[in-house]
Amino acid sequence: MKKLSPLWLIVILSWSCQSTQESSDPKSMLDAEELGKHTQILSSDEYEGRAPSSPGEEKTIAYLEQQFKTIGVEPGNG
């Protein structure tokens, strides 16, 4: 199964956080400050480069899972 890159997941996460807004302007749904926060966290040394099959990848996946749970996103594959 092909995995999404962390950058795309951040964009999706950021968009999802803002998707409850009543706005027709897509730009208003993407909060640059929130996106920057997630980017800074995931690019920190704590995530060890996020290489596949590394401890950094596991940390990244755990972070993204927690963020999705926080905003109420549920798995699409059960």
Side-chain angles (χ1 to χ4, degrees), residues 12-52:
I12 292 168
L13 177 64
S14 181
W15 177 77
S16 297
C17 289
Q18 301 299 318
S19 65
T20 58
Q21 290 181 348
E22 298 287 332
S23 175
S24 60
D25 180 18
K27 290 180 183 178
S28 69
M29 290 197 274
L30 187 61
D31 181 3
E33 186 176 320
E34 189 75 14
L35 180 59
K37 180 185 91 170
H38 294 296
T39 302
Q40 187 173 25
I41 290 169
L42 289 170
S43 65
S44 71
D45 290 341
E46 179 183 347
Y47 288 85
E48 305 172 30
R50 305 166 311 279

